[in-house]
Amino acid sequence: ALLLAILLLLIGTPLADSLKLLKASSQEINLENGLTLSRGGGISDDVLGVKGPIHPSEEPVFKVRGAKGISYLRVTAGETYTGGAWLAPKDTPQLVLPGADLPLPSIRTATDFTTSQVAVTPILPLGSGPVAVSLYATKPQGAKGFTFRPSRLALATQEDLKNGYTWQAVIPVLRPEDLRKAKTVPSDALLQLPNSLPQRVRDLAEQITQGKPTDYDKLLAIIDFLRLGYTYDLDNAPTPPGRDAVDFFLFDDKRGVC
């Protein structure tokens, strides 16, 4: 289950690409990847799609400064895979004041960290709702208050961020030798799989990682497998009715987004 969960997590939802879709709108629009564009320009994040075309606008949404060492921004995380989508964990939002230190998880395999002060300046209205930040974000500024969901490591606000916002990004320095010594912590929530998942998906995960000595080497094997045999394509096909999204991606369409 662990190996399969890693495989599923790598076939996730295009959160960074979805941010390009944020633009001023007079009505609510359901986006094809499960996110929703609100009237104020924000997005909702309860259900995250796995497959289907994404048609981002070419119009810039915001400018980002100070993001050295950060590969992408995110707004939420899915925890429960249903066979067609990811459901975000139902944790309780915590109210945090601007500039507050957020309770970040212990990163057991990292002993060194770098920090960067990141600033977002809007070009199109951002509205209220989820706030796009890096994975480990703390000290948010730009609103009178934020809500923080610890299980998602996600920020949100009820205010219009018309003047932009900032945060401090905490970036762990992860070394391969340390990752090979580390063990994955078992988690029923993260290892959950739907009963409807086809057996050949489980078999493929075992096949890809067979003979790999550590969890880290198994992860690298899955990454290499996806890079060599699959295509990043915003115009990937939607999942046919009655099919599991990951099964369709792995064995049929072989196109998707990360």
Side-chain angles (χ1 to χ4, degrees):
L2 168 61
L3 308 181
L4 186 55
I6 292 174
L7 181 60
L8 294 179
L9 287 172
L10 290 173
I11 310 169
T13 301
L15 299 181
D17 288 333
S18 301
L19 298 177
K20 300 176 185 177
L21 290 160
L22 300 182
K23 57 193 303 183
S25 174
S26 61
Q27 59 184 344
E28 189 171 272
I29 303 173
N30 291 320
L31 305 179
E32 292 168 285
N33 65 341
L35 301 178
T36 300
L37 179 63
S38 73
R39 295 183 180 182
I43 57 178
S44 66
D45 61 342
D46 291 330
V47 180
L48 308 175
V50 178
K51 284 279 291 160
I54 305 294
H55 299 137
S57 167
E58 295 298 326
E59 192 171 6
V61 177
F62 51 65
K63 295 181 179 179
V64 182
R65 292 182 290 107
K68 182 180 180 179
I70 299 171
S71 301
Y72 60 90
L73 303 184
R74 60 196 293 277
V75 293
T76 189
E79 181 178 84
T80 302
Y81 177 62
T82 67
W86 289 93
L87 303 181
K90 298 296 183 182
D91 52 0
T92 302
Q94 302 175 1
L95 181 63
V96 295
L97 296 176
D101 289 316
L102 301 182
L104 302 179
S106 172
I107 309 173
R108 299 177 300 110
T109 52
T111 56
D112 298 327
F113 302 86
T114 61
T115 59
S116 178
Q117 189 68 18
V118 186
V120 167
T121 303
I123 298 174
L124 298 177
L126 293 180
S128 60
V131 177
V133 293
S134 53
L135 176 57
Y136 303 116
T138 188
K139 301 183 185 302
Q141 299 272 8
K144 296 179 181 179
F146 296 87
T147 54
F148 176 69
R149 291 183 177 270
S151 295
R152 311 180 192 189
L153 297 179
L155 279 170
T157 181
Q158 297 300 314
E159 302 174 39
D160 183 357
L161 297 173
K162 59 183 179 180
N163 295 320
Y165 59 96
T166 65
W167 75 92
Q168 185 181 80
V170 179
I171 307 166
V173 179
L174 300 173
R175 301 178 177 85
E177 58 270 24
D178 295 329
L179 293 172
R180 285 191 167 90
K181 295 176 185 177
K183 293 293 183 181
T184 304
V185 179
S187 167
D188 291 339
L190 296 181
L191 299 182
Q192 164 274 340
L193 296 171
N195 294 331
S196 60
L197 187 75
Q199 181 61 41
R200 64 177 181 173
V201 178
R202 305 171 189 265
D203 295 340
L204 179 61
E206 295 289 347
Q207 175 187 335
I208 295 170
T209 57
Q210 186 175 9
K212 303 302 179 183
T214 69
D215 288 347
Y216 178 62
D217 289 303
K218 293 172 183 177
L219 174 63
L220 293 180
I222 292 173
I223 292 174
D224 288 341
F225 176 81
L226 294 175
R227 282 177 175 168
L228 292 174
Y230 298 83
T231 302
Y232 187 97
D233 188 351
L234 295 178
D235 201 31
N236 67 96
T239 306
R243 289 289 304 276
D244 180 273
V246 169
D247 181 83
F248 177 65
F249 165 77
L250 289 172
F251 296 100
D252 294 274
D253 190 42
K254 298 188 177 183
R255 297 177 299 151
V257 287
C258 60

